[in-house]
Amino acid sequence: EPVAFLHYPPVCGGKVCREIFDVVQRHGISRVYYGHIHGAAIRQAFEGEFEGVQLRLISADKLGFMPILVD
């Protein structure tokens, strides 16, 4: 199953970037990992399922500067 890694989140602050999210859905991508959000803004990041796609923030400070397994 295809996954995508993006710098910017496709869903953030209650808004959706349809141009990006529509491409994700059109290509059957089931998981999106994204960065860009750091510090106090991490609390506002969207993580979880959105329109059938799992979204996860993986910025370094969010992960405590530890790698994660993506399987």
Side-chain angles (χ1 to χ4, degrees):
E1 79 191 50
V3 301
F5 291 87
L6 304 174
H7 180 76
Y8 291 99
V11 178
C12 188
K15 296 181 180 176
V16 180
C17 179
R18 291 291 358 158
E19 294 88 350
I20 293 173
F21 206 80
D22 289 348
V23 171
V24 166
Q25 290 183 310
R26 186 168 46 251
H27 290 279
I29 295 169
S30 61
R31 292 179 288 153
V32 171
Y33 298 91
Y34 66 91
H36 184 71
I37 299 176
H38 304 281
I42 290 171
R43 292 188 298 266
Q44 299 172 10
F46 180 87
E47 291 192 276
E49 187 269 331
F50 183 84
E51 295 183 13
V53 179
Q54 288 294 321
L55 303 172
R56 182 164 181 198
L57 173 61
I58 58 170
S59 59
D61 52 337
K62 165 70 165 54
L63 299 177
F65 297 91
M66 295 297 294
I68 63 165
L69 176 64
V70 175
D71 57 356

